[in-house]
Amino acid sequence: MNPFFEFQNEMNRRQFFGRTGVRLGGLSLAAMATSTSIAKAESSTSAVFPALPGFPNFAPKAKSIIYLHMNGGPSQIDLLDYKPQLHEHFDKDLPDSVRKGQRITTMTSGQSRLPVAPSKYNFAQHGECGRWVSELLPHTAKVVDDIAVVKSVHTNAINHDPACTFVMTGSEIPGKPSLGSWLSYGLGSESNDLPSFVVFTPRWTSSAGAQALFTRMWSSGFLPSSYSGVALRSVGDPVLYLQNPGGVTSNDRRRMLDALGQLNRRNLERYGDPETATRIAQYEMAFRMQSSVPELTDLHGESESTLALYGPEVLQPGTFASSALMARRLVERGVRCVQILHRGWDQHFNLPNDISAQCSDTDHACGGLIQDLKQRGLLESTLVVWGGEFGRTVYSQGTLTKDVYGRDHHPRNFTMWLAGGGIKGGITYGETDDFSYNVVENPVNVNDINATILHCMGIDHSRFTYRFQGLDQKLTGVENAQVVNELLS
């Protein structure tokens, strides 16, 4: 005996409508609304991913974004936050007046000392702006007049997973939409043949262990699943099951999708589930991607001079350089958001060995991407963001010599840079103390960065909401995030 079926069998007509009448009415309205929207989409020649009505809120400076995420937390002290006076404090204990009793991770809380570890790398001034840049970033140094460096970013989380979730979704709590999903939802895409949000997860060469990448970093959360990022693979087919099986022609595939679409529409009319509409749209997108993705990944049309901008690994699928060039090709084709997540930046022990490998993986392509976008006239309409989920400590974890040291997680301050659409190049914003341990001027929360990104894309972050669980949810959360106007051109 199944109690559920017995309950249904015993329920009389009055009980049924008394319990479910209101729910059925709501379901009917949802079905009508969904069916109407699908009908409009099918009967019009509008974009596959249209913008929401009224979006953008004002004229945008950027039409697309390329987000370069260095997963694990790159060391600001060894890259862009120059602190020459630290050499005077080598192997001395971090002063209590600097630490101020702030929490540290369990990975170093058991150490008897917190010895200061100055960077072993040389810094030099570059560009007309005279920015100090580490010798590890010679190609980024070439484009410093095009980028805005923010030295005073801070975050709430001290461990990777919540910190990555926060930087990508505006919340440490899983289940929220990622930045790319919010942008795809609000602004749609200019491409009808490619996803509005594309993700790359290139390989890395350092020996440092890498933290797991959770799909929540490019997930649509409570937004419709059609706004999730599509991860392009570096080995084999870029998208699984995109190619037709042997013996199946494109015409066969078209007829099969038409028949499947009819069945899905029947379900949509019957149940009004928005995810059914998403399924229909995704099948159609997959069909179009069968021709658009091979064209996208064919780099034979790129000139030798363009390939040289990205470095010697640009033609090796799965490298950061290849992903960066693909990012340019995607935004060139109207894709709204491209995200590249490079792992291996969690350098607790032999940092010099690992960070040099990571910079070798990424620096050439980062500098080349800015130059390539600029020479094509795309930088004005493409926002490029570089950063991690937090910074690294000035004190060493484990062995400390002048050439060997490690750094623990540090959420109090870290460095990010932005370039392109709507950003003023050649500036530095925010300042840290002499130990790169605390922000002393112009603090910038992660959600201030997100608010600024949305502003460059023509969106007022305070008005960009989605009703979920009784709340008007926002990318920038419930706290008072601010656009960093000083970064804007």
Side-chain angles (χ1 to χ4, degrees):
M1 177 184 294
N2 187 316
F4 176 75
F5 289 127
E6 288 298 314
F7 172 79
Q8 286 189 318
N9 289 334
E10 294 298 325
M11 184 183 294
N12 61 37
R13 182 174 179 274
R14 178 168 297 180
Q15 289 171 326
F16 173 78
F17 283 109
R19 289 175 180 271
T20 63
V22 175
R23 298 176 195 169
L24 286 174
L27 185 60
S28 299
L29 286 173
M32 291 168 62
T34 307
S35 299
T36 300
S37 63
I38 292 295
K40 286 182 179 178
E42 291 178 343
S43 63
S44 69
T45 58
S46 61
V48 171
F49 295 105
L52 290 177
F55 277 69
N57 303 137
F58 46 83
K61 292 293 185 71
K63 296 195 301 182
S64 55
I65 178 173
I66 299 174
Y67 200 118
L68 310 172
H69 178 70
M70 308 298 112
N71 195 78
S75 171
Q76 76 283 0
I77 306 171
D78 295 282
L79 299 177
L80 291 164
D81 195 5
Y82 183 41
K83 301 296 179 185
Q85 66 279 3
L86 283 178
H87 292 283
E88 302 172 7
H89 299 272
F90 173 75
D91 202 23
K92 296 179 181 178
D93 288 344
L94 179 69
D96 290 338
S97 60
V98 174
R99 181 185 167 190
K100 299 178 181 178
Q102 297 165 13
R103 64 173 178 161
I104 59 178
T105 78
T106 56
M107 291 173 282
T108 49
S109 61
Q111 290 186 181
S112 59
R113 300 179 58 224
L114 298 177
V116 171
S119 176
K120 65 168 285 186
Y121 297 102
N122 295 320
F123 281 67
Q125 288 181 287
H126 295 270
E128 293 183 7
C129 63
R131 177 166 302 118
W132 290 95
V133 181
S134 167
E135 62 182 298
L136 289 169
L137 301 176
H139 297 279
T140 301
K142 295 177 182 179
V143 297
V144 290
D145 289 329
D146 295 307
I147 68 178
V149 174
V150 186
K151 296 169 65 176
S152 55
V153 187
H154 60 94
T155 185
N156 300 344
I158 200 170
N159 289 312
H160 293 288
D161 185 32
C164 287
T165 303
F166 183 55
V167 80
M168 288 299 170
T169 71
S171 172
E172 295 179 54
I173 302 171
K176 305 294 180 69
S178 61
L179 169 64
S181 296
W182 276 109
L183 289 171
S184 299
Y185 169 68
L187 299 176
S189 175
E190 294 183 356
S191 174
N192 285 343
D193 299 317
L194 290 164
S196 59
F197 177 19
V198 175
V199 179
F200 295 93
T201 55
R203 61 177 178 265
W204 70 101
T205 58
S206 82
S207 59
Q211 299 296 318
L213 285 178
F214 294 98
T215 56
R216 72 173 71 104
M217 295 178 70
W218 58 87
S219 168
S220 62
F222 48 71
L223 295 175
S225 58
S226 57
Y227 300 108
S228 286
V230 174
L232 295 190
R233 302 166 70 242
S234 58
V235 179
D237 290 337
V239 180
L240 285 174
Y241 313 118
L242 196 62
Q243 299 303 317
N244 290 328
V248 177
T249 68
S250 181
N251 288 336
D252 294 335
R253 183 77 164 186
R254 181 67 267 170
R255 287 195 297 270
M256 182 184 71
L257 287 178
D258 288 342
L260 184 59
Q262 290 179 6
L263 294 173
N264 278 326
R265 285 177 178 81
R266 290 180 185 177
N267 270 346
L268 181 61
E269 292 170 1
R270 183 177 182 183
Y271 300 112
D273 183 358
E275 284 303 302
T276 305
T278 293
R279 191 177 303 120
I280 296 170
Q282 297 297 70
Y283 276 127
E284 292 298 322
M285 174 56 70
F287 182 75
R288 289 188 291 271
M289 287 171 64
Q290 287 184 321
S291 59
S292 64
V293 169
E295 186 276 333
L296 168 73
T297 56
D298 183 1
L299 304 181
H300 288 96
E302 298 290 346
S303 68
E304 290 297 323
S305 59
T306 296
L307 296 176
L309 288 175
Y310 291 86
E313 295 185 327
V314 66
L315 294 179
Q316 299 177 31
T319 61
F320 185 91
S322 175
S323 301
L325 176 55
M326 291 285 287
R328 188 224 81 203
R329 290 172 65 86
L330 284 162
V331 299
E332 201 171 32
R333 287 157 174 75
V335 171
R336 184 68 63 191
C337 180
V338 184
Q339 188 180 58
I340 305 178
L341 302 104
H342 187 257
R343 302 163 70 193
W345 292 84
D346 188 26
Q347 295 147 1
H348 286 271
F349 297 102
N350 191 356
L351 180 143
N353 179 71
D354 293 330
I355 199 171
S356 60
Q358 294 299 90
C359 290
S360 178
D361 282 350
T362 61
D363 172 59
H364 201 148
C366 286
L369 175 63
I370 299 297
Q371 294 178 70
D372 194 11
L373 289 169
K374 188 174 182 179
Q375 69 185 15
R376 292 171 185 272
L378 289 172
L379 188 59
E380 291 182 0
S381 61
T382 305
L383 177 62
V384 183
V385 180
W386 181 98
E389 67 267 36
F390 43 53
R392 314 301 299 192
T393 57
V394 66
Y395 56 80
S396 179
Q397 179 177 349
T399 301
L400 171 61
T401 69
K402 290 187 180 294
D403 293 317
V404 178
Y405 49 86
R407 301 195 191 279
D408 201 359
H409 308 167
H410 188 60
R412 299 292 300 176
N413 65 270
F414 61 105
T415 300
M416 297 181 69
W417 60 254
L418 302 89
I423 295 298
K424 186 186 301 180
I427 66 169
T428 300
Y429 186 77
E431 191 52 82
T432 60
D433 61 23
D434 289 343
F435 292 84
S436 190
Y437 204 86
N438 297 291
V439 174
V440 296
E441 181 182 300
N442 297 325
V444 178
N445 186 268
V446 164
N447 273 336
D448 297 331
I449 294 288
N450 287 337
T452 305
I453 290 171
L454 291 180
H455 180 88
C456 291
M457 303 292 288
I459 296 175
D460 180 348
H461 76 96
S462 65
R463 296 162 53 194
F464 191 23
T465 63
Y466 187 92
R467 193 75 172 174
F468 179 70
Q469 293 183 338
L471 297 174
D472 290 329
Q473 305 275 357
K474 296 189 300 182
L475 169 66
T476 52
V478 298
E479 296 180 2
N480 190 26
Q482 301 289 332
V483 174
V484 186
N485 290 304
E486 291 82 355
L487 299 179
L488 304 179
S489 58

